[in-house]
Amino acid sequence: MTYSLEKLLKVQSPTFKKHPDFLSIARLLATSPALTRVRLNQRAYRLLNEPRLELRYLVNFYTTYRVPKSDFFTIFLSIKWEHVQKRSDKRSARDGYIASRVAAFPRDFLALFTFLVTLENGLYPRTKKRVNELSAYTLTQWLSYFTSTIKGLMKKQRVLEKIGIETLLACMLLECLPDFSSGKLPQKAIIKKQYRKLSKEYHPDLCSSYVDGDKDRFLLVKKAYDDLS
């Protein structure tokens, strides 16, 4: 199967066709009988369209595939690589945004979330929409999320089954996760130390920067301590 240059231009994206130089290559093709007669095999077509061919190797392309030397190919590839770079920049910006939002998750939730991602990579948000949804979770939503997620992973991860959902969530709330290689819980001294620290942080009467929700968090921390003790 072979492809014409007309076919090559036809399948380009609307964004490509809006490029200021697109009319130039379309005009070159329309006014050059030699270019009109060009038939590319599948490999040559993919080198241009994906693109795989760098501009510095264009001379070799002419020789290998016996196509006429023309500014058509230079301009075409320049546009293609420009779009590749733009997509790469956009992807990097998106990934950076997602990473910054994930890093801003509540610290106690972030530790468990990070561990669960190591077990199931698909849990990591891949879109801005998803990371924004997670960032807006309330305390209740986070607990519901972890409960359903851990329950789904238990069949594949025996250590989670050994620890148990309630115990794991209690450890999370006290910011002292168990040893996931063995399933061993934190020492009682560490649990007590964390409870004292977090009690001061969330207790309505002791917290200098009290905000709505701290009372709920305090009650959950107290329950977690009682459960682990």
Side-chain angles (χ1 to χ4, degrees):
M1 185 175 181
T2 59
Y3 304 84
S4 66
L5 295 181
E6 183 181 5
K7 168 71 173 177
L8 181 66
L9 291 188
K10 187 176 181 179
V11 300
Q12 298 311 306
S13 68
T15 303
F16 182 99
K17 293 176 181 177
K18 289 179 182 177
H19 193 281
D21 292 333
F22 179 77
L23 289 178
S24 297
I25 55 177
R27 192 177 300 113
L28 284 169
L29 178 58
T31 58
S32 172
L35 290 176
T36 303
R37 290 193 297 269
V38 168
R39 292 296 179 271
L40 302 169
N41 62 28
Q42 190 173 30
R43 179 175 174 77
Y45 179 82
R46 291 174 66 185
L47 284 173
L48 294 172
N49 192 46
E50 292 189 4
R52 296 183 179 183
L53 178 65
E54 296 180 28
L55 282 166
R56 56 180 172 160
Y57 297 124
L58 195 50
V59 174
N60 297 337
F61 179 82
Y62 294 140
T63 303
T64 303
Y65 297 102
R66 298 180 181 180
V67 297
K69 294 181 180 180
S70 171
D71 288 341
F72 172 94
F73 297 102
T74 304
I75 300 172
F76 179 88
L77 284 173
S78 295
I79 298 174
K80 291 293 285 189
W81 283 113
E82 181 181 321
H83 281 277
V84 167
Q85 185 60 52
K86 285 182 178 179
R87 286 198 301 270
S88 177
D89 292 344
K90 186 176 181 180
R91 189 162 50 245
S92 295
R94 180 201 64 200
D95 292 347
Y97 175 86
I98 292 173
S100 66
R101 294 305 300 269
V102 169
F105 286 173
R107 64 176 188 264
D108 44 357
F109 301 151
L110 178 59
L112 181 56
F113 178 81
T114 301
F115 170 72
L116 294 177
V117 167
T118 66
L119 301 180
E120 186 66 58
N121 186 254
L123 295 174
Y124 191 85
R126 302 298 177 187
T127 64
K128 289 183 177 181
K129 179 180 178 181
R130 180 55 179 160
V131 78
N132 288 338
E133 288 174 352
L134 291 171
S135 297
Y137 270 10
T138 63
L139 177 60
T140 301
Q141 287 175 310
W142 271 117
L143 294 175
S144 176
Y145 168 83
F146 283 125
T147 299
S148 60
T149 300
I150 295 167
K151 189 179 294 183
L153 290 173
M154 275 184 166
K155 295 179 181 178
K156 296 185 292 183
Q157 303 293 333
R158 294 296 182 185
V159 67
L160 296 180
E161 187 175 14
K162 179 179 179 180
I163 297 170
I165 295 177
E166 295 301 324
T167 300
L168 182 50
L169 292 182
C171 289
M172 177 193 73
L173 289 166
L174 288 173
E175 299 181 25
C176 52
L177 294 178
D179 182 342
F180 289 110
S181 60
S182 64
K184 186 177 180 180
L185 299 183
Q187 294 179 352
K188 289 185 178 181
I190 294 177
I191 293 173
K192 189 172 185 178
K193 179 181 178 181
Q194 285 300 107
Y195 172 64
R196 286 178 174 175
K197 171 189 171 185
L198 295 171
S199 292
K200 293 178 181 178
E201 184 172 341
Y202 295 120
H203 196 292
D205 297 332
L206 300 176
C207 180
S208 59
S209 57
Y210 177 78
V211 295
D212 290 341
D214 280 350
K215 181 178 180 181
D216 293 336
R217 180 65 71 92
F218 171 74
L219 293 174
L220 283 170
V221 166
K222 185 175 185 307
K223 183 179 183 304
Y225 176 70
D226 291 340
D227 290 346
L228 292 177
S229 297

